[in-house]
Amino acid sequence: SLRFASAGRLLHEIWHDKAATIGLAVIVLIILCAVFAQFIAPYDPAAQDLTARLAPPFWMERGSTAHLLGTDHLGRDILSRIIFGARASLLVAGSVVLLAGTFGTIMGLWAGFKGGQIDAIIMRLVDIQVALPALLLILLVISVVGSGLLTMIVVLSIANWMVYARLVRSVVLSVRQLEYIEAAEIIGCRPSRVMFAHVLPNIVPPLLTLAILEFTNIILAEAALSFLGLGVQPPATSWGLDVSNG
């Protein structure tokens, strides 16, 4: 009941914030388009029709309601490709946030809770990776290993875990000496239980905020890689690949 009450208060606050309401509506719309793309899209995104190539949007001269946003250089429907492209872009962003967030959170918890040499080693690894240009490193690895959706997810996860580790470590250090943590240790709780049952629930709000910000950054990174031809490959589509084609 407490969870439902908290969710109700959150929805109430969002509803009275018009900017948040509009933003949430757009996000929900994009997610629904990605999930139900095969039912919403008017055409197969890979279907070519050279007789209708480079058709403008319907509100321009020579435009037609048959292709509301026009067609590309191969006669493929742009609206359909945008709808299906949302699926690839959101899949990459969601997978990377989940993988990088999980690994980074575990490393941050371990470093902040254990301290000492373990903390020093993990933080030096974080510092080394932060010092390297992320996009350059990603381009180097993908150009050597090969492009593809799975490769892109793994490489982007490796390039972004340290952001979560730094945040979690700083929060753990701030709560490490609080009374409820000391009480859990005094009654004999194992370190793993203290970290995951007592410390982790109290760092969820800042973690969610970071995950949302990183989600948008990953979408931009996927678009950049696909634009350069190192991400999603034809005949599949994504927003970055369509920008490259356009």
Side-chain angles (χ1 to χ4, degrees):
S1 59
L2 289 176
R3 292 182 179 179
F4 287 118
S6 299
R9 286 195 298 270
L10 177 61
L11 291 175
H12 180 75
E13 292 177 3
I14 292 175
W15 178 252
H16 285 81
D17 185 340
K18 298 307 178 185
T21 302
I22 295 172
L24 179 61
V26 172
I27 292 172
V28 171
L29 177 62
I30 293 174
I31 293 174
L32 290 176
C33 286
V35 173
F36 300 105
Q38 65 268 30
F39 304 108
I40 298 174
Y43 298 94
D44 182 345
Q48 301 179 15
D49 182 7
L50 296 180
T51 62
R53 64 188 300 270
L54 298 178
F58 77 95
W59 62 83
M60 298 179 65
E61 186 181 355
R62 297 189 305 105
S64 170
T65 54
H67 300 283
L68 294 179
L69 296 183
T71 58
D72 64 7
H73 62 292
L74 295 176
R76 298 173 296 191
D77 184 66
I78 290 179
L79 176 60
S80 300
R81 292 184 65 79
I82 290 175
I83 293 173
F84 273 89
R87 177 177 290 182
S89 297
L90 294 182
L91 174 63
V92 171
S95 301
V96 170
V97 167
L98 180 62
L99 293 175
T102 301
F103 182 73
T105 298
I106 293 174
M107 291 295 101
L109 282 171
W110 199 19
F113 193 81
K114 290 292 186 179
Q117 190 173 5
I118 293 177
D119 180 28
I121 292 173
I122 293 176
M123 286 302 102
R124 294 301 75 76
L125 290 174
V126 169
D127 292 338
I128 291 171
Q129 191 161 343
V130 169
L132 297 174
L135 187 57
L136 182 61
L137 179 63
I138 293 169
L139 290 174
L140 177 63
V141 173
I142 291 182
S143 61
V144 172
V145 176
S147 58
L149 193 64
L150 180 59
T151 302
M152 183 166 52
I153 290 174
V154 173
V155 172
L156 287 173
S157 300
I158 294 173
N160 286 275
W161 69 272
M162 66 281 187
V163 181
Y164 299 92
R166 272 188 160 179
L167 173 70
V168 172
R169 174 184 177 271
S170 64
V171 177
V172 169
L173 290 176
S174 67
V175 303
R176 180 70 177 81
Q177 304 302 324
L178 295 181
E179 288 81 1
Y180 72 92
I181 300 298
E182 294 181 351
E185 293 177 330
I186 289 172
I187 63 175
C189 289
R190 294 177 307 217
S192 60
R193 178 173 176 79
V194 174
M195 285 191 291
F196 293 103
H198 299 284
V199 177
L200 183 59
N202 290 281
I203 62 176
V204 168
L207 263 180
L208 287 177
T209 302
L210 178 61
I212 292 171
L213 295 174
E214 284 299 304
F215 189 89
T216 59
N217 291 334
I218 297 303
I219 289 180
L220 292 175
E222 181 277 325
L225 291 174
S226 296
F227 179 84
L228 296 173
L230 297 174
V232 176
Q233 300 297 310
T237 184
S238 75
W239 290 338
L241 184 60
D242 271 357
V243 171
S244 176
N245 291 335

